Amino acid sequence: MLRVGIVGASGYTGGELARILALHPAVELTVATSRSHAGKRLSQGYPHLAGIVDIVCEDLQGSELADRADLFFTAVPHQTAMAIVPELLQAGKKVIDLSADFRLDDPVVYEAWYQPHTAQEYLAEAVYGLPEINREKIAAARLVANPGCYPTSIILALAPLLKNGLLDPATIIADSKSGTSGAGRSAQVGSLFCEVTDGFRAYKVGEHRHTPEIEQELAKLAGSQLTVSFTPHLLPISRGILSTIYGALTKEVDQQELYELCTAFYRDEKFVRICRPGNFPATQYVRGSNYCDIGSKVDTRTGRVVLVSVIDNLVKGAAGQAVQNMNIVSGFAESLGLDTVPLFP
Amino acid sequence: MLRVGIVGASGYTGGELARILALHPAVELTVATSRSHAGKRLSQGYPHLAGIVDIVCEDLQGSELADRADLFFTAVPHQTAMAIVPELLQAGKKVIDLSADFRLDDPVVYEAWYQPHTAQEYLAEAVYGLPEINREKIAAARLVANPGCYPTSIILALAPLLKNGLLDPATIIADSKSGTSGAGRSAQVGSLFCEVTDGFRAYKVGEHRHTPEIEQELAKLAGSQLTVSFTPHLLPISRGILSTIYGALTKEVDQQELYELCTAFYRDEKFVRICRPGNFPATQYVRGSNYCDIGSKVDTRTGRVVLVSVIDNLVKGAAGQAVQNMNIVSGFAESLGLDTVPLFP
Amino acid sequence: MLRVGIVGASGYTGGELARILALHPAVELTVATSRSHAGKRLSQGYPHLAGIVDIVCEDLQGSELADRADLFFTAVPHQTAMAIVPELLQAGKKVIDLSADFRLDDPVVYEAWYQPHTAQEYLAEAVYGLPEINREKIAAARLVANPGCYPTSIILALAPLLKNGLLDPATIIADSKSGTSGAGRSAQVGSLFCEVTDGFRAYKVGEHRHTPEIEQELAKLAGSQLTVSFTPHLLPISRGILSTIYGALTKEVDQQELYELCTAFYRDEKFVRICRPGNFPATQYVRGSNYCDIGSKVDTRTGRVVLVSVIDNLVKGAAGQAVQNMNIVSGFAESLGLDTVPLFP
Amino acid sequence: MLRVGIVGASGYTGGELARILALHPAVELTVATSRSHAGKRLSQGYPHLAGIVDIVCEDLQGSELADRADLFFTAVPHQTAMAIVPELLQAGKKVIDLSADFRLDDPVVYEAWYQPHTAQEYLAEAVYGLPEINREKIAAARLVANPGCYPTSIILALAPLLKNGLLDPATIIADSKSGTSGAGRSAQVGSLFCEVTDGFRAYKVGEHRHTPEIEQELAKLAGSQLTVSFTPHLLPISRGILSTIYGALTKEVDQQELYELCTAFYRDEKFVRICRPGNFPATQYVRGSNYCDIGSKVDTRTGRVVLVSVIDNLVKGAAGQAVQNMNIVSGFAESLGLDTVPLFP
């Protein structure tokens, strides 16, 4: 049994990691840290885990922490992660970091969108943990930068087209909508039930920190620099991201050809489902699962393609993808512990 | 007191007309038709109206119907409307038609997106009832084609920019999200609570019938033909539309200039509120009201502007705008009966 | 114009008072206090009020506050209210207090459920502001204790039966369900969207502070002391309370008789609607309005009656009833400014 | 591998059976029937199952149906079930019937609440499939009557108290609230998103058909006849039932004693979790799982106990319990395929 630890267990991502790992046949959760819940069973804050994950949260650091597991999920905010990850790596542990701290290759870009980076020496070895694109590199990594939720939904949808040169990279617009769990479990007025329910809004228009991550990875796929218009919105749902993505086609392609191209691109991928022509995905059909469902529409009137992709932001957009990465770096079957069926209705 | 009638009172738009007209000081609801509810009080199907609008629904047509009021709201599906409206006009009545039947100038376009048009002789005189754009023409009309919900949200947001030549008309993309009341009150599996709640989807991608209406009216504002990428989505909320609209800027403009341009454009408009720079609207802030709130972002990185507009699809997107049009054609103060405050939370 | 002030304008109840008063034809909002929003327009925190209620919040106390209006709504937490109300009364102002501080006749009971009471000398003159029961006393009051939301829904439902001796007072059980706005606008994890949506729970079972208020007022109606089992629950909706109330019948009564008894009891009441036999109310049918809708079922199998009542907790359960009380103490028509139609869907 | 069939696969219960069985290691789904979806893959109607359960629905009956599996789940409406089940039994198959047709021992009672019973000869052998109460009988059954969702939540909560004589059987009141999936997937106006969301109502007050089932099973536990006041309500959530249950205590018991009594009663039960004193369950903490969580409050002021229980109505209230019963009658480990963790948030 691989001994694994969750650093930052009391947030929604930490809770989701605990949920998924509870049924994983090859790992044992040996440590869970949380400042706010130190000394309490994790299931006190998360009663759905009662009787299932009753581990007591601790407030640990340094070698005291590192000794307790072989692989760590760091589910803490950016800036906090960069203070913890180096110690774990130096102690010989593997790390799946769910923060943004090791996703951007260029520290200048990182510091333009975030704050000073104090662990730049690890950027070069960190592998961007999108298995469908980077599987081989992940397998060899000791530090995996787990992708952001929005980028996951956008990159997976665009990859087949960009790789095949079908899109003009200068024309990409991603209009994304996320469930409220993406805002985390911290008490703030903007996340209150009454502020969110029966409503809908855009936020951080043109300014969201996932923008450089999206652009960096799409540029690699396109083979050239690009900028993206990215607009996130807040949905009155708990889980789920849907991204509607627009781009100008560089050549004629019909709907069936596009469908076949996407299907072929993801032929061996267990967690990507391509919708048949005329069908589009919905967040509720991937709820609680590691799937990314993708639909497409060739719009001959405008010369654009419209892609629609959905994921569960806490699973494929965070904890599920992190476990998928753990499986890869640990040599387990990639879908081990992730064979759930989406929960609908 | 103006005698008014609602044709098709049992749908959500009909119910909303009844709600608004109940407190209108200058009109009296003298007839409400419904096949499915004929013989029943309207408040049996709509218990919120109990003791307020207890009119009995009837199944009337032709002169029997026309004699009962001076002005009619036709809140029936397209194709049904074109069979009723001519009779009412011939009887000398004024009509605010909430269907799509008289919105498109060109019957060829109508028939390409809908079905054969059997009342083409009325298309020339029908006035597109967007008061902020067409006020004078509406005042003189006997047939007002009340705009679609999506087009209202999109046209009002784009009008200041297109009128001022700030946008490249070939680059417009409208990503719209609507509450479920837009699907009407008919029993269908896709509108069931369990199918919609805690979920989100796109539908009719690149194929929605509001597309030609949007293009027609934007072309008038831009002064040239154009096509638009329009993607509607279904929100798990009852009321509200939010449209996120993208376009390439044709000249440099900063955020403050854009704000002032929009503010100036709508200076005397009671029902349009422009958000201050950095602020964006939310559907819950216009719930139950006739407001259209508009925010904007100049994105210098991409050279695009992003507009975000919200309306209550049943009010400014349907019944409220219809009453606004009635006020104009009847010579009432334009906001009479529409001075409500949005309901939040 | 009556000059009115809102003390504690930034909470949901304060915002709702502002919404209702904005359209009240006989009052002017001359002052709004808030510590957290001092110096900001109320509409910055409540964008739905933009352009409608743009008053700037202030942090005022004592005579500085008292001079600014003729009548005050104190929409602050219990314990805070008892420190403010005496000063306003001493300055000759009328007060509608929306806290619990002046609802209980007996300070011993108050202190058993809350904390020490430091303004006991005002308890005797405070009038429990349930207009349908206490109209005459309210008209003469200078201090009105606006009822709690749960008690309003329960007392109005039971009054006709208790007044007519139809119920055994020892058997009353009130199972109540409230929308989340009842928890206020303070940032706490338990009120986050993700904690509440798609879920349901009971809370403070057998321990909620509205219990002594319910028992006090029911005892007056029954003419004898009584205890009540009261269980509140948290609904994943913003507004609305539904109370399901059980009691053993003391004599045989059939459904039609009970209906007629309730109808007669509330014959002249504008804000109480009795459902016809076989019909039951729903919170969505009173949303945004001052109505209390009541249905009943005589269950001959068990010898019990089941009453179901609904209100909008922010309107009839708080701000609307407060304005109704203001109308009464000010000699206005009782429904002035409250003639809205519920918002459905 | 046990060959299992689902009769009535296109409803929510049928879809949930498919979801659960997909991951069950000891069974194979060999046939799924549906009239409305005959000829279509089940995953066309349920896209969450795409790539997981792509079985094609058929419209089969009689021996053609019986030959296709060894054990059948009949997930069809009452009255339809009684026409199908006998044929399957006669063909030597085992049946878990999820309808109400074989739950009531007395056909007279059945016919008073439903309609004529045409398969009365099977009532005597049918076993009421509540494993925590009837495990031994279920193990020997060939026809298991899977309990109703409401009865499951109520009986499990009351069993420890009634078995120990702690409650006066004449005083039981069950106030239950159900998610909307309980209304099924048929298209009806009352189940539309806009009719249900942001609202709450009681329905079938004192008249719900689960009443005799509740009374029958509680009577067995209490050892005497009894009637129950049972009120169902409709929650704006997809999944989940919460029952709040009241009863007069027959002897003094304190909170800790009650907790220990319940804990002892369910000591070996994997799917029942007893909340610690002061804690109460919430539907979102059992979402998607087979758990029943139970909390309790001894209210010394009123001499009553208040019990609060929650289940997922589609799992422990239907499909999950059916699989639990299948495991028992098939000799599998009782929790096989049901070891999921509830999905929160």
Side-chain angles (χ1 to χ4, degrees):
Chain A
M1 295 290 265
L2 181 74
R3 299 181 311 149
V4 301
I6 301 173
V7 180
S10 56
Y12 285 138
T13 303
E16 186 70 356
L17 281 164
R19 185 181 77 86
I20 294 172
L21 295 170
L23 299 181
H24 195 291
V27 308
E28 182 189 5
L29 180 64
T30 50
V31 63
T33 78
S34 164
R35 270 188 205 161
S36 58
H37 283 64
K40 296 182 189 165
R41 281 173 289 109
L42 183 59
S43 57
Q44 283 179 269
Y46 284 118
H48 66 300
L49 300 176
I52 304 167
V53 186
D54 288 320
I55 193 169
V56 174
C57 294
E58 299 173 78
D59 185 8
L60 295 179
Q61 284 165 290
S63 64
E64 235 189 335
L65 172 61
D67 289 349
R68 299 283 293 278
D70 306 314
L71 179 148
F72 287 87
F73 297 95
T74 44
V76 292
H78 65 88
Q79 199 173 5
T80 305
M82 63 173 71
I84 296 170
V85 168
E87 290 183 334
L88 296 170
L89 293 175
Q90 286 155 21
K93 308 301 177 176
K94 291 187 176 170
V95 177
I96 314 291
D97 177 41
L98 291 92
S99 86
D101 282 351
F102 301 95
R103 291 178 195 156
L104 297 181
D105 303 332
D106 184 345
V108 174
V109 175
Y110 181 91
E111 297 190 344
W113 288 83
Y114 293 87
Q115 77 302 311
H117 200 299
T118 59
Q120 302 189 14
E121 60 274 29
Y122 294 94
L123 290 179
E125 69 162 292
V127 175
Y128 191 72
L130 197 54
E132 289 77 9
I133 308 293
N134 279 348
R135 184 169 287 116
E136 283 69 31
K137 289 185 187 164
I138 296 165
R142 60 172 191 158
L143 171 56
V144 177
N146 211 57
C149 48
Y150 287 122
T152 296
S153 72
I154 293 167
I155 298 165
L156 288 177
L158 283 167
L161 288 89
L162 288 176
K163 273 286 198 185
N164 285 281
L166 285 178
L167 283 188
D168 174 355
T171 63
I172 298 173
I173 291 174
D175 192 282
S176 296
K177 303 87 177 175
S178 173
T180 304
S181 61
R185 210 188 195 189
S186 62
Q188 41 193 2
V189 169
S191 302
L192 291 179
F193 178 83
C194 292
E195 305 291 318
V196 173
T197 191
D198 201 33
F200 186 65
R201 68 176 70 221
Y203 69 98
K204 294 187 186 163
V205 178
E207 298 177 352
H208 194 281
R209 284 165 162 170
H210 282 175
T211 308
E213 179 183 342
I214 296 165
E215 292 177 347
Q216 167 184 293
E217 297 302 315
L218 293 185
K220 291 175 191 169
L221 292 163
S224 64
Q225 290 306 303
L226 51 78
T227 58
V228 167
S229 286
F230 169 55
T231 311
H233 301 74
L234 185 67
L235 281 168
I237 67 176
S238 280
R239 291 165 177 260
I241 283 181
L242 183 147
S243 290
T244 313
I245 308 162
Y246 302 85
L249 287 164
T250 52
K251 51 184 98 163
E252 271 194 24
V253 58
D254 72 20
Q255 190 63 57
Q256 182 64 22
E257 288 169 339
L258 182 58
Y259 169 69
E260 286 168 11
L261 180 143
C262 293
T263 303
F265 191 89
Y266 288 119
R267 182 178 300 115
D268 300 322
E269 295 301 337
K270 173 146 193 173
F271 296 121
V272 177
R273 300 190 292 193
I274 305 298
C275 299
R276 286 183 170 75
N279 290 297
F280 290 90
T283 62
Q284 55 270 53
Y285 299 146
V286 298
R287 190 190 293 140
S289 82
N290 203 46
Y291 288 106
C292 176
D293 288 1
I294 303 172
S296 64
K297 167 75 183 180
V298 174
D299 186 357
T300 51
R301 291 178 65 256
T302 62
R304 297 192 187 101
V305 69
V306 187
L307 301 163
V308 182
S309 68
V310 301
I311 58 170
D312 182 322
N313 58 302
L314 290 181
V315 189
K316 185 63 177 170
Q321 186 145 268
V323 171
Q324 189 179 357
N325 280 316
M326 175 197 76
N327 285 339
I328 296 172
V329 301
S330 306
F332 302 147
E334 191 170 323
S335 65
L336 205 62
L338 294 168
D339 286 313
T340 50
V341 185
L343 190 70
F344 174 84
Chain B
M1 296 292 264
L2 182 74
R3 300 182 310 150
V4 301
I6 302 173
V7 180
S10 55
Y12 285 139
T13 303
E16 187 70 356
L17 280 164
R19 186 183 75 86
I20 294 173
L21 294 171
L23 298 182
H24 195 290
V27 308
E28 184 189 4
L29 180 63
T30 49
V31 63
T33 79
S34 165
R35 270 188 204 163
S36 57
H37 283 65
K40 295 183 190 165
R41 281 173 288 108
L42 183 59
S43 57
Q44 283 178 269
Y46 284 119
H48 67 300
L49 299 177
I52 303 168
V53 186
D54 287 322
I55 194 170
V56 174
C57 294
E58 300 173 78
D59 185 7
L60 295 180
Q61 284 165 291
S63 64
E64 233 189 337
L65 172 61
D67 290 348
R68 298 283 293 277
D70 305 315
L71 180 149
F72 288 87
F73 297 95
T74 44
V76 292
H78 66 88
Q79 198 173 5
T80 306
M82 65 173 70
I84 296 171
V85 168
E87 290 183 334
L88 295 171
L89 292 175
Q90 286 156 20
K93 307 301 176 176
K94 290 186 176 172
V95 176
I96 315 290
D97 177 41
L98 290 92
S99 86
D101 281 352
F102 300 96
R103 291 179 193 155
L104 296 181
D105 302 334
D106 184 346
V108 174
V109 175
Y110 181 92
E111 298 190 344
W113 289 83
Y114 293 87
Q115 76 302 312
H117 200 300
T118 59
Q120 301 189 16
E121 62 273 31
Y122 293 94
L123 290 179
E125 70 162 293
V127 175
Y128 191 72
L130 197 55
E132 288 77 9
I133 307 295
N134 279 348
R135 185 168 287 116
E136 284 68 32
K137 287 186 187 164
I138 296 165
R142 60 172 191 160
L143 171 56
V144 177
N146 212 58
C149 49
Y150 286 122
T152 294
S153 73
I154 293 167
I155 298 165
L156 288 176
L158 283 167
L161 287 90
L162 288 176
K163 272 288 198 183
N164 285 279
L166 286 178
L167 284 187
D168 174 355
T171 63
I172 299 173
I173 291 174
D175 192 280
S176 296
K177 303 86 177 175
S178 173
T180 305
S181 61
R185 209 187 196 189
S186 62
Q188 42 193 0
V189 169
S191 301
L192 291 179
F193 179 83
C194 291
E195 305 291 318
V196 173
T197 192
D198 201 33
F200 185 64
R201 69 176 68 222
Y203 67 98
K204 294 188 186 164
V205 179
E207 298 177 351
H208 194 282
R209 284 165 163 170
H210 282 175
T211 308
E213 179 183 340
I214 296 165
E215 293 178 345
Q216 166 184 292
E217 296 302 314
L218 293 186
K220 291 175 190 170
L221 292 164
S224 63
Q225 290 306 303
L226 51 78
T227 57
V228 168
S229 286
F230 169 57
T231 311
H233 301 74
L234 185 67
L235 281 167
I237 67 175
S238 282
R239 290 165 177 259
I241 283 179
L242 183 147
S243 290
T244 312
I245 308 162
Y246 302 84
L249 286 164
T250 53
K251 51 184 97 164
E252 272 193 22
V253 58
D254 73 20
Q255 190 64 56
Q256 182 64 23
E257 287 168 341
L258 182 59
Y259 169 68
E260 286 168 12
L261 181 142
C262 292
T263 304
F265 191 88
Y266 288 120
R267 183 178 299 117
D268 300 322
E269 295 300 338
K270 173 144 195 177
F271 295 121
V272 178
R273 300 190 294 193
I274 304 299
C275 299
R276 287 183 172 76
N279 290 296
F280 290 90
T283 62
Q284 55 269 55
Y285 299 145
V286 298
R287 190 190 293 140
S289 82
N290 203 46
Y291 288 105
C292 176
D293 288 1
I294 302 172
S296 63
K297 167 76 181 179
V298 174
D299 186 356
T300 50
R301 291 177 65 256
T302 60
R304 296 191 188 100
V305 70
V306 186
L307 301 164
V308 182
S309 68
V310 301
I311 58 170
D312 181 322
N313 59 302
L314 290 181
V315 189
K316 186 62 177 169
Q321 187 146 267
V323 170
Q324 189 179 357
N325 280 317
M326 175 196 77
N327 285 339
I328 296 172
V329 301
S330 305
F332 302 146
E334 191 170 322
S335 65
L336 206 62
L338 295 168
D339 286 313
T340 50
V341 185
L343 190 72
F344 174 84
Chain C
M1 296 290 265
L2 182 73
R3 298 181 312 149
V4 302
I6 302 173
V7 180
S10 57
Y12 285 138
T13 303
E16 186 71 356
L17 281 164
R19 186 182 76 86
I20 295 173
L21 293 171
L23 298 181
H24 195 291
V27 308
E28 183 189 5
L29 180 64
T30 50
V31 63
T33 80
S34 164
R35 271 188 205 163
S36 58
H37 283 64
K40 295 182 189 164
R41 281 173 287 108
L42 183 58
S43 57
Q44 284 178 266
Y46 285 118
H48 67 299
L49 299 177
I52 304 168
V53 186
D54 288 320
I55 194 169
V56 173
C57 294
E58 299 173 79
D59 184 8
L60 296 180
Q61 284 165 291
S63 63
E64 235 190 333
L65 172 61
D67 290 349
R68 299 283 292 278
D70 306 316
L71 180 148
F72 288 87
F73 297 95
T74 44
V76 292
H78 65 90
Q79 197 173 5
T80 305
M82 64 173 69
I84 296 170
V85 168
E87 289 183 333
L88 295 171
L89 293 175
Q90 285 156 22
K93 308 301 176 176
K94 290 186 176 172
V95 176
I96 315 292
D97 178 42
L98 289 92
S99 86
D101 282 352
F102 300 96
R103 291 178 194 155
L104 296 181
D105 302 333
D106 185 346
V108 174
V109 175
Y110 181 92
E111 298 189 343
W113 289 82
Y114 293 87
Q115 77 302 311
H117 200 299
T118 59
Q120 301 189 15
E121 61 273 29
Y122 293 94
L123 290 178
E125 69 163 293
V127 175
Y128 191 73
L130 197 54
E132 289 77 9
I133 307 294
N134 278 349
R135 183 168 287 118
E136 283 70 31
K137 288 185 186 164
I138 295 165
R142 60 172 190 158
L143 171 56
V144 177
N146 212 57
C149 49
Y150 286 122
T152 295
S153 72
I154 294 166
I155 298 164
L156 288 177
L158 282 167
L161 287 89
L162 288 175
K163 272 288 197 184
N164 285 281
L166 285 178
L167 284 188
D168 175 355
T171 63
I172 298 173
I173 290 173
D175 191 281
S176 296
K177 302 88 176 174
S178 174
T180 304
S181 62
R185 210 188 195 189
S186 61
Q188 42 192 2
V189 169
S191 301
L192 292 179
F193 179 82
C194 292
E195 305 291 318
V196 173
T197 191
D198 201 33
F200 187 64
R201 67 175 70 223
Y203 68 98
K204 294 187 186 165
V205 179
E207 298 177 353
H208 194 281
R209 284 165 162 170
H210 282 174
T211 308
E213 180 184 340
I214 296 164
E215 292 178 347
Q216 167 184 293
E217 296 302 315
L218 293 185
K220 292 175 189 169
L221 291 164
S224 65
Q225 290 306 303
L226 51 79
T227 57
V228 168
S229 286
F230 169 57
T231 310
H233 301 74
L234 185 67
L235 281 168
I237 67 175
S238 280
R239 291 165 177 258
I241 284 179
L242 183 147
S243 289
T244 313
I245 309 161
Y246 303 85
L249 286 163
T250 53
K251 52 183 95 163
E252 271 192 26
V253 57
D254 72 21
Q255 191 61 58
Q256 182 63 22
E257 288 168 340
L258 182 58
Y259 170 68
E260 286 168 10
L261 180 142
C262 292
T263 303
F265 191 87
Y266 288 120
R267 182 177 300 115
D268 300 322
E269 295 300 337
K270 174 144 193 175
F271 295 120
V272 178
R273 301 190 292 193
I274 304 299
C275 299
R276 287 184 170 75
N279 291 297
F280 290 89
T283 61
Q284 55 268 54
Y285 300 146
V286 298
R287 189 190 294 140
S289 82
N290 203 46
Y291 288 105
C292 177
D293 288 0
I294 302 171
S296 63
K297 168 76 182 180
V298 174
D299 185 357
T300 51
R301 291 178 65 257
T302 61
R304 295 190 189 103
V305 69
V306 186
L307 300 163
V308 182
S309 67
V310 301
I311 58 171
D312 182 321
N313 59 302
L314 290 181
V315 188
K316 186 62 178 172
Q321 187 146 268
V323 170
Q324 189 180 358
N325 281 317
M326 175 196 76
N327 285 340
I328 297 172
V329 300
S330 305
F332 302 147
E334 192 169 324
S335 65
L336 205 63
L338 294 168
D339 285 313
T340 50
V341 185
L343 190 71
F344 175 84
Chain D
M1 296 291 264
L2 182 72
R3 298 182 310 147
V4 301
I6 302 172
V7 181
S10 57
Y12 285 138
T13 303
E16 187 70 356
L17 281 164
R19 185 181 78 85
I20 295 172
L21 295 170
L23 299 181
H24 195 291
V27 307
E28 184 189 3
L29 180 63
T30 49
V31 63
T33 79
S34 165
R35 271 190 204 162
S36 58
H37 283 63
K40 296 183 190 165
R41 281 173 289 109
L42 184 59
S43 58
Q44 284 179 267
Y46 284 118
H48 67 300
L49 299 176
I52 304 168
V53 186
D54 288 319
I55 193 169
V56 174
C57 294
E58 299 173 80
D59 185 8
L60 296 178
Q61 283 165 292
S63 64
E64 233 189 337
L65 172 61
D67 289 349
R68 299 282 292 278
D70 306 315
L71 179 148
F72 287 87
F73 297 95
T74 43
V76 292
H78 66 89
Q79 198 173 3
T80 305
M82 64 173 70
I84 296 170
V85 168
E87 290 183 334
L88 296 171
L89 293 175
Q90 286 156 21
K93 308 301 177 176
K94 290 187 177 172
V95 176
I96 316 290
D97 177 43
L98 290 91
S99 87
D101 282 352
F102 300 96
R103 292 179 193 154
L104 296 181
D105 302 333
D106 185 345
V108 175
V109 175
Y110 181 91
E111 297 189 344
W113 289 84
Y114 293 87
Q115 78 300 313
H117 200 299
T118 59
Q120 301 189 17
E121 61 274 31
Y122 294 93
L123 290 179
E125 70 163 291
V127 175
Y128 190 73
L130 197 55
E132 289 76 9
I133 307 295
N134 278 349
R135 184 167 288 116
E136 284 69 31
K137 288 186 187 164
I138 295 166
R142 59 172 190 159
L143 170 57
V144 177
N146 211 57
C149 48
Y150 286 123
T152 295
S153 72
I154 294 167
I155 297 164
L156 288 177
L158 283 167
L161 288 90
L162 288 176
K163 272 287 197 183
N164 285 280
L166 285 179
L167 284 188
D168 175 354
T171 64
I172 298 173
I173 291 174
D175 191 281
S176 296
K177 303 86 177 175
S178 173
T180 304
S181 61
R185 210 187 195 189
S186 62
Q188 41 192 2
V189 170
S191 301
L192 292 179
F193 179 82
C194 292
E195 306 292 316
V196 173
T197 191
D198 201 33
F200 186 64
R201 69 175 71 221
Y203 68 98
K204 294 189 186 162
V205 180
E207 298 177 353
H208 194 282
R209 284 166 162 169
H210 283 174
T211 308
E213 179 183 342
I214 296 165
E215 292 177 347
Q216 166 184 293
E217 296 302 315
L218 293 185
K220 291 175 189 168
L221 291 163
S224 64
Q225 290 306 304
L226 51 78
T227 57
V228 168
S229 287
F230 169 57
T231 311
H233 301 74
L234 185 67
L235 281 168
I237 67 176
S238 281
R239 291 165 176 261
I241 283 179
L242 184 147
S243 290
T244 312
I245 309 161
Y246 303 84
L249 287 163
T250 53
K251 51 184 97 163
E252 271 193 24
V253 59
D254 71 22
Q255 189 64 56
Q256 183 63 24
E257 289 169 339
L258 182 57
Y259 169 68
E260 287 167 11
L261 180 142
C262 293
T263 304
F265 191 88
Y266 288 120
R267 183 178 301 116
D268 300 322
E269 296 299 339
K270 173 144 194 175
F271 296 121
V272 178
R273 301 190 293 193
I274 304 299
C275 300
R276 288 183 169 76
N279 290 297
F280 290 90
T283 61
Q284 55 268 55
Y285 300 146
V286 298
R287 189 189 294 139
S289 82
N290 203 45
Y291 288 106
C292 176
D293 287 1
I294 303 172
S296 64
K297 167 76 181 180
V298 174
D299 186 356
T300 51
R301 293 177 65 255
T302 61
R304 297 190 187 102
V305 70
V306 186
L307 300 164
V308 182
S309 67
V310 302
I311 58 170
D312 182 322
N313 59 302
L314 290 181
V315 189
K316 186 63 177 168
Q321 187 146 267
V323 171
Q324 189 179 358
N325 281 317
M326 175 197 76
N327 285 340
I328 296 172
V329 301
S330 306
F332 302 146
E334 189 170 323
S335 64
L336 206 62
L338 295 168
D339 285 313
T340 51
V341 185
L343 190 71
F344 174 84

